[in-house]
Amino acid sequence: MVEGKVCMSREVKLEFLKRKRLQRMKSESMNDFACSGNMMSRSGGDALRGHATCGVRIPGSLDTYPQSAAMLNGKDAFSKHKVSKFETSNLDWIDKIPECPIYYPKKEEFEDPLVYLQKIAPEASKYGICKIVSPITASVPAGVVLMKEKSGFKFTTRVQPLRLAEWDMEDKVTFFMSGRNYSFRDFEKMANKIYARKYCSAGCLPPSYLEKEFWHEIACGNTESVEYACDVDGSAFSSSPNDQLGKSRWNLKRVSWLPKSILRLLGRTIPGVTEPMLYIGMLFSMFAWHVEDHFLYSINYHHCGATKTWYGIPGQAALDFEMVVQKHVYTNDILAVNGEDGAFDVLLGKTTLFPPNILLEHDVPVYKAVQNPGEFVVTFPRAYHAGFSHGFNCGEAVNFAIGDWFPVGSIACHRYALLNRIPLLPYEELLCKEAMLLSRSLELEDHEYVMEDVKSHLNTKASFVNLIRFHHFARWCLMKVKACTEICLVSHGTILCSICKRDCYLAYINCTCTSHAVCLRHDPWSLELPCGSNRTLCLREDILDMEDAAKKFEHEEVVLYEVQKLHKKSEDFYLLSNLFPKVEDKDYVPYCDLNLELPGEIESELERTVCKTLLSMESGTSVSETVPNSSDHFLSAHKKVQSSETRHIVDQDDDDESDTEIFRVKRRPRLLHRSPHDTVSFSNEHQGFKRLKKHLSDGRSGKSNTTQCSLADSRSYTSSAIPNHSKEDPHSALRDRPHKGSVIPISMKCKKLANEEPMVKHREHKKDDSMQHGSGRTVREPFPIETGPKRLKVRGPSILGRMG
């Protein structure tokens, strides 16, 4: 009986609010009609002020807007009109959207967010979105953190038109920057005042009621615009040692640096990705349909204030979502690319909002989350999501990735390249570093590290093997057509392809001036290099170790099965077949030796030069006295600020010791800071010369005159990617080390070594060093690489395959 009275009082309250709202609308109808005739001729600021009686008054001056800011092609960006493609008269579909899974972890399960998410991911990822209710709460409120702990905290909002659009060349939605900065308290006062004026109440109304109000308002309501403070730098987690949530691993400032986080390998902070951002909203502030950058995970914590409603699409339905948007939301004239890729391109603008019933009508699954203070919402890789606020609130979000992200991260890189968009993360570099750490843990027989998250490691291994196989096959194709004239071994971090902006870490083709790097997914013969036709193949100096690690991973049948699945989905191998139609791929054997063939005269001359160089090194003579040093030009060329068409992303720190290049900040340019988790890179440049001398001593026993493939399993290589610390006398090490970046022209044949016993001993010694070095490292430290490029030039139409 008591329950019935409560329900009845709620219904009566809602009915009262509806009637009062209708009365207010009638009393304002004459004012609406009077001001609508002058709307088209006014500027954005005047239009907003003149129409304040029937909408939200934007506080402060908007004179900072340009005259066209609120006008699109002569149309007012805030005025509403009926959009026939969106049916909003019947909102019964709202009750048909099922809720996403909700999890209530115990305190003992709440130790590490990434461990817990790996546990629930098999079920929760099917929905694209889930909610986690925290068992611990913050003892220091977000308002106290932002007003007291962060003195002087202010932010600028965006003005969001609250309307639907036709999404053609004449009618699109844009979010504008307002001209006013707010303190946290000032924005809260403004938002609460608007809420109370609209609903004559300071309390929260039921979420289902406000959900229908939102879609009614956006379709035909009187509110023209709202303000939303999105992507605000900062965090509302307290730094107080007494705050249980703030000092836990669920503090979003710590998520990116947890041991299982892939982004820990960046070694640098990227605002909005590795560093959390704040999202401060008001009634009907919205976040449009979007997917996270690089299809990453996201985790959002609701600090305080009114509820948020989320809509989520499972990652496996992302293509279906884009297809529906392309066919039923956008018109073809606004799509730069045909098909779902064109829709993906426009959706990246994060201003597209439409009711989810369109998706339901076309069998795209949609799930809902109603987020309250103290709750986390997690979105899974490639899961589109959107939502809105029920009043003033403050949330915080950050991206993260674990091993199972790598397969979808590869798809994101491919799509960015198709659209010529600069990537945010060095995907290849992250994958290679994580895979080599995993390989090292296998060498050390660290079974605890391997067994705790088998699925995550399986995805890492399969993605890594697929990448290594592609690069080996690409080098084999280049060898067959003799497309490159030089070889260059490099140890620097990621750079970008000057054509498609794809990140290049393992290999790329470069020109004579080293300013036009091109990834291996382009036709080498069609490259129009301004500095000539010479093409240099640049390879990572530890690429052989990576191939050995990939072969070890392939010993697991389950890994091979996953690799075959990725191979069928990948377009890279199909692309190579089209680029090199004359190459018979049936002759290709994975991981085969790629031997070199050079003209005899050039080979003899280069070999004499190398021998002279090595002798001078052993006698203590400076390498620069024997071999001209041209790497200074190589380094300076990569440190230039490139244009948007040929920009290379290379670290420009003065110490030149960073192993990771910074791409760009998430949504606005700002200085990137060095993370306290950065490590100092180590240098073992003399190691390449030791391997070089081994080749020369063995290579004099005979020469091969034909380019051939042989199974690489017959050879033994070291598989450790961790640089060794030499225990030799430091002066001796300096004598062995060449002048930094020196260019050494060499000639060599990559063939099976005649005597493998010394190599076996060297490998065992290197493995022992690696184990000793690894015992003092933790998994969360960024993976070190060497600094400074070492160029080993091979002149002649040949391609380096495996170098011992």
Side-chain angles (χ1 to χ4, degrees):
M1 193 67 180
V2 175
E3 293 179 359
K5 289 183 178 179
V6 172
C7 294
M8 181 63 68
S9 62
R10 178 176 296 179
E11 291 178 359
V12 170
K13 181 179 180 180
L14 291 177
E15 186 63 28
F16 171 77
L17 290 173
K18 287 181 180 179
R19 289 182 180 179
K20 192 156 189 176
R21 182 171 176 271
L22 289 173
Q23 291 175 357
R24 187 170 68 250
M25 290 172 60
K26 289 180 180 179
S27 64
E28 295 172 348
S29 60
M30 293 304 295
N31 291 334
D32 293 346
F33 179 78
C35 68
S36 62
N38 298 325
M39 286 288 291
M40 298 297 293
S41 61
R42 296 186 179 184
S43 68
D46 290 336
L48 287 171
R49 286 193 290 268
H51 206 53
T53 55
C54 54
V56 176
R57 182 187 301 273
I58 303 299
S61 173
L62 293 177
D63 295 336
T64 54
Y65 276 15
Q67 173 129 2
S68 59
M71 303 290 289
L72 293 176
N73 296 324
K75 294 185 178 180
D76 178 26
F78 297 96
S79 63
K80 293 186 174 77
H81 63 278
K82 182 175 178 58
V83 181
S84 58
K85 66 178 75 174
F86 304 128
E87 175 55 47
T88 55
S89 59
N90 185 354
L91 298 178
D92 292 342
W93 54 267
I94 289 177
D95 300 323
K96 298 178 182 179
I97 299 179
E99 287 203 13
C100 69
I102 305 175
Y103 296 93
Y104 299 86
K106 300 177 181 178
K107 284 188 177 181
E108 53 269 23
E109 297 179 297
F110 207 66
E111 182 68 23
D112 189 309
L114 302 188
V115 172
Y116 185 74
L117 286 169
Q118 283 183 336
K119 176 182 177 181
I120 66 174
E123 177 192 30
S125 62
K126 298 176 183 178
Y127 300 85
I129 188 173
C130 74
K131 189 169 73 171
I132 301 173
V133 180
S134 173
I136 58 178
T137 58
S139 57
V140 182
V144 174
V145 174
L146 297 178
M147 290 188 291
K148 293 186 178 181
E149 290 188 16
K150 302 182 184 300
S151 178
F153 173 75
K154 287 194 172 185
F155 53 86
T156 302
T157 60
R158 288 182 180 271
V159 177
Q160 299 178 322
L162 199 62
R163 69 181 184 89
L164 297 173
E166 295 286 354
W167 286 105
D168 55 20
M169 292 301 293
E170 301 294 327
D171 185 25
K172 293 179 284 189
V173 171
T174 303
F175 295 162
F176 306 107
M177 293 298 296
S178 78
R180 175 171 175 177
N181 290 336
Y182 287 94
S183 67
F184 186 77
R185 182 58 179 155
D186 288 341
F187 186 83
E188 180 183 16
K189 288 180 179 179
M190 180 274 295
N192 288 339
K193 182 178 179 181
I194 289 175
Y195 184 96
R197 186 174 64 190
K198 184 173 183 64
Y199 291 113
C200 302
S201 172
C204 292
L205 296 172
S208 59
Y209 172 75
L210 284 178
E211 186 177 5
K212 292 180 180 179
E213 281 284 288
F214 172 76
W215 290 111
H216 171 80
E217 196 70 46
I218 205 171
C220 55
N222 293 317
T223 305
E224 289 187 339
S225 63
V226 294
E227 290 187 83
Y228 187 33
C230 56
D231 307 332
V232 177
D233 293 326
S235 172
F237 284 95
S238 175
S239 57
S240 170
N242 299 322
D243 191 300
Q244 294 300 313
L245 186 61
K247 68 180 184 180
S248 75
R249 291 188 171 188
W250 288 78
N251 182 333
L252 299 191
K253 292 183 289 187
R254 301 182 179 182
V255 170
S256 294
W257 310 109
L258 295 176
K260 295 185 184 300
S261 169
I262 301 300
L263 300 184
R264 79 192 186 282
L265 299 173
L266 283 173
R268 299 289 185 110
T269 59
I270 303 179
V273 177
T274 62
E275 283 186 328
M277 283 183 165
L278 293 170
Y279 298 83
I280 306 170
M282 59 180 288
L283 179 65
F284 299 153
S285 294
M286 67 187 111
F287 47 102
W289 289 107
H290 69 284
V291 68
E292 297 300 315
D293 294 308
H294 283 268
F295 299 164
L296 290 164
Y297 283 85
S298 76
I299 180 169
N300 183 293
Y301 181 70
H302 195 327
H303 282 287
C304 62
T307 301
K308 280 185 182 178
T309 292
W310 295 66
Y311 303 106
I313 312 296
Q316 59 268 26
L319 280 178
D320 294 332
F321 172 89
E322 293 167 1
M323 191 73 70
V324 170
V325 174
Q326 182 253 323
K327 292 182 177 179
H328 302 284
V329 177
Y330 298 147
T331 54
N332 290 332
D333 57 349
I334 68 168
L335 302 180
V337 183
N338 293 330
E340 58 270 16
D341 287 325
F344 174 71
D345 188 31
V346 180
L347 284 164
L348 289 176
K350 299 182 180 180
T351 60
T352 302
L353 191 69
F354 55 85
N357 63 320
I358 295 180
L359 302 172
L360 296 174
E361 292 170 1
H362 295 88
D363 300 322
V364 177
V366 184
Y367 298 95
K368 183 192 306 182
V370 179
Q371 185 188 22
N372 298 301
E375 297 175 349
F376 292 89
V377 166
V378 175
T379 66
F380 290 83
R382 210 180 180 181
Y384 279 94
H385 50 281
F388 63 94
S389 296
H390 295 198
F392 169 77
N393 56 27
C394 176
E396 184 172 337
V398 75
N399 291 121
F400 67 93
I402 51 181
D404 60 5
W405 162 76
F406 282 120
V408 290
S410 176
I411 298 173
C413 290
H414 173 73
R415 302 193 78 179
Y416 287 164
L418 285 177
L419 299 171
N420 207 240
R421 285 183 174 265
I422 296 177
L424 182 67
L425 299 174
Y427 172 82
E428 281 191 6
E429 186 172 353
L430 292 175
L431 175 57
C432 291
K433 288 182 178 180
E434 181 69 11
M436 294 308 291
L437 280 175
L438 185 55
S439 174
R440 176 171 163 267
S441 71
L442 290 172
E443 288 182 359
L444 298 175
E445 298 183 348
D446 186 2
H447 295 294
E448 181 181 355
Y449 176 74
V450 173
M451 294 302 296
E452 58 189 2
D453 44 7
V454 177
K455 183 179 179 182
S456 178
H457 289 164
L458 175 61
N459 282 291
T460 301
K461 294 175 183 177
S463 298
F464 178 70
V465 170
N466 192 60
L467 178 67
I468 294 296
R469 280 194 171 199
F470 164 77
H471 275 277
H472 188 273
F473 183 48
R475 300 203 315 274
W476 183 81
C477 292
L478 291 172
M479 177 197 70
K480 285 293 185 181
V481 300
K482 300 179 180 180
C484 295
T485 57
E486 292 184 3
I487 304 298
C488 172
L489 295 187
V490 297
S491 60
H492 58 70
T494 299
I495 65 174
L496 296 185
C497 172
S498 60
I499 296 177
C500 66
K501 307 298 185 294
R502 185 185 284 265
D503 58 301
C504 303
Y505 181 70
L506 285 173
Y508 58 92
I509 297 173
N510 216 332
C511 61
T512 303
C513 70
T514 68
S515 299
H516 304 89
V518 178
C519 70
L520 304 189
R521 295 167 178 83
H522 302 286
D523 182 6
W525 302 112
S526 65
L527 300 179
E528 297 181 359
L529 303 176
C531 52
S533 60
N534 291 335
R535 291 175 292 271
T536 300
L537 178 64
C538 300
L539 299 174
R540 286 206 63 76
E541 60 184 4
D542 56 350
I543 194 169
L544 304 184
D545 295 334
M546 295 187 186
E547 289 183 355
D548 290 335
K551 286 193 297 181
K552 289 182 180 180
F553 291 157
E554 288 192 25
H555 292 163
E556 304 175 39
E557 291 185 4
V558 64
V559 173
L560 276 178
Y561 175 73
E562 291 296 324
V563 170
Q564 291 172 358
K565 289 168 57 177
L566 291 176
H567 182 80
K568 292 178 181 178
K569 297 178 181 179
S570 174
E571 298 183 17
D572 287 339
F573 292 91
Y574 176 75
L575 177 64
L576 288 178
S577 299
N578 289 337
L579 289 178
F580 306 101
K582 296 182 180 179
V583 175
E584 295 290 339
D585 56 0
K586 63 182 180 181
D587 298 333
Y588 171 72
V589 179
Y591 306 115
C592 63
D593 295 337
L594 305 182
N595 296 330
L596 304 179
E597 178 183 3
L598 296 176
E601 296 180 1
I602 297 179
E603 184 170 321
S604 300
E605 180 181 353
L606 294 180
E607 189 168 305
R608 286 196 298 270
T609 304
V610 171
C611 291
K612 184 178 179 181
T613 301
L614 296 175
L615 289 173
S616 65
M617 290 169 56
E618 291 176 351
S619 63
T621 306
S622 173
V623 177
S624 60
E625 297 176 11
T626 307
V627 181
N629 180 16
S630 62
S631 66
D632 291 339
H633 172 67
F634 179 83
L635 287 173
S636 62
H638 283 77
K639 290 188 177 183
K640 292 178 181 178
V641 179
Q642 303 293 333
S643 65
S644 61
E645 293 299 320
T646 60
R647 183 168 66 169
H648 290 186
I649 307 301
V650 177
D651 198 357
Q652 299 185 25
D653 283 354
D654 292 338
D655 58 8
D656 219 11
E657 290 180 338
S658 174
D659 60 340
T660 304
E661 323 308 345
I662 295 305
F663 282 52
R664 60 180 176 86
V665 294
K666 187 172 183 181
R667 297 176 181 90
R668 67 176 73 91
R670 56 167 281 178
L671 293 177
L672 297 168
H673 309 287
R674 179 176 291 275
S675 164
H677 305 274
D678 286 359
T679 59
V680 178
S681 302
F682 302 96
S683 176
N684 64 340
E685 297 180 2
H686 61 281
Q687 181 180 352
F689 292 98
K690 290 181 179 178
R691 301 179 75 177
L692 174 57
K693 287 190 286 185
K694 176 65 180 174
H695 263 291
L696 290 176
S697 62
D698 291 340
R700 289 190 178 96
S701 61
K703 297 180 179 180
S704 173
N705 294 324
T706 59
T707 302
Q708 58 185 355
C709 284
S710 62
L711 289 175
D713 291 337
S714 63
R715 302 182 59 181
S716 299
Y717 288 89
T718 174
S719 63
S720 173
I722 306 292
N724 295 327
H725 293 290
S726 176
K727 296 182 180 180
E728 302 173 0
D729 178 66
H731 299 289
S732 174
L734 288 175
R735 285 196 301 269
D736 285 343
R737 181 178 302 164
H739 183 73
K740 182 177 180 182
S742 58
V743 180
I744 302 180
I746 67 170
S747 169
M748 64 177 66
K749 300 253 181 211
C750 290
K751 56 189 175 184
K752 184 175 180 178
L753 299 179
N755 182 10
E756 290 190 351
E757 184 176 354
M759 177 62 75
V760 173
K761 292 181 179 179
H762 172 70
R763 182 177 70 255
E764 292 176 351
H765 174 70
K766 184 176 181 181
K767 181 177 179 180
D768 292 340
D769 269 357
S770 175
M771 293 177 66
Q772 293 173 7
H773 174 67
S775 62
R777 290 181 57 84
T778 59
V779 179
R780 69 184 295 173
E781 293 185 24
F783 186 79
I785 68 169
E786 296 126 358
T787 58
K790 296 192 293 291
R791 304 190 64 177
L792 304 183
K793 282 194 174 181
V794 181
R795 298 195 179 278
S798 54
I799 300 300
L800 179 64
R802 299 183 63 85
M803 298 180 58

